[in-house]
Amino acid sequence: MTMMTDRQIRAAIETNKLVMQGYDPKLVQPASYDMRLGDQVITSSAREIINPAQKGLVTIVAGDFALVTTFERVVMPTDIVGHLGLRSRFAKMGLVLLSGPQIDPGFRGVLVLGLANLSPRDVVIPY
């Protein structure tokens, strides 16, 4: 099994082998796609659904846990597995991704990711 290059990702999108609603070609990286924060977040401190689109951001306070959705909705083909990771800039701020490391073949929908803020400072994620 190999990772897809940017050309392979673009080709899979262009031929509808991989369907991604909300796709932005500017977010394709050399071997990945940077998904964006969606419109539903819930944190262990707020205990209510927050819509980051309304404020343009979401704040995960120090020591907090959050479930966040992706802006993009994906339809994975049955012969491709996606791999999840966290941007290093967020890891450097103290966020840890607690979700499983893969998107299963055949998955359809938005992704829900678990994030924990292990830093002593609040972390702001732009919408």
Side-chain angles (χ1 to χ4, degrees):
M1 182 175 359
T2 62
M3 300 288 282
M4 293 174 76
T5 66
D6 54 350
R7 288 186 197 146
Q8 292 169 316
I9 294 168
R10 286 187 179 99
I13 297 278
E14 290 168 8
T15 61
N16 285 325
K17 178 176 177 82
L18 170 63
V19 177
M20 189 179 310
Q21 295 171 349
Y23 169 75
D24 182 343
K26 293 179 277 188
L27 299 175
V28 177
Q29 301 299 319
S32 65
Y33 179 85
D34 289 341
M35 291 190 161
R36 295 165 284 178
L37 180 65
D39 60 4
Q40 291 190 347
V41 175
I42 188 165
T43 64
S44 56
S45 60
R47 295 186 183 179
E48 63 183 33
I49 295 176
I50 301 163
N51 184 345
Q54 294 173 340
K55 292 175 91 174
L57 57 87
V58 68
T59 301
I60 303 175
V61 299
D64 213 359
F65 171 76
L67 290 174
V68 303
T69 59
T70 58
F71 177 80
E72 291 81 3
R73 176 178 294 276
V74 298
V75 178
M76 295 294 291
T78 57
D79 62 342
I80 294 178
V81 173
H83 176 79
L84 293 173
L86 184 66
R87 294 282 317 241
S88 64
R89 70 179 164 138
F90 292 117
K92 291 173 187 172
M93 292 180 203
L95 286 185
V96 176
L97 178 65
L98 299 175
S99 300
Q102 81 177 31
I103 307 167
D104 289 333
F107 175 83
R108 300 171 156 268
V110 297
L111 301 172
V112 179
L113 310 174
L115 299 173
N117 180 358
L118 301 182
S119 81
R121 294 176 298 281
D122 296 352
V123 174
V124 175
I125 302 174
Y127 178 70

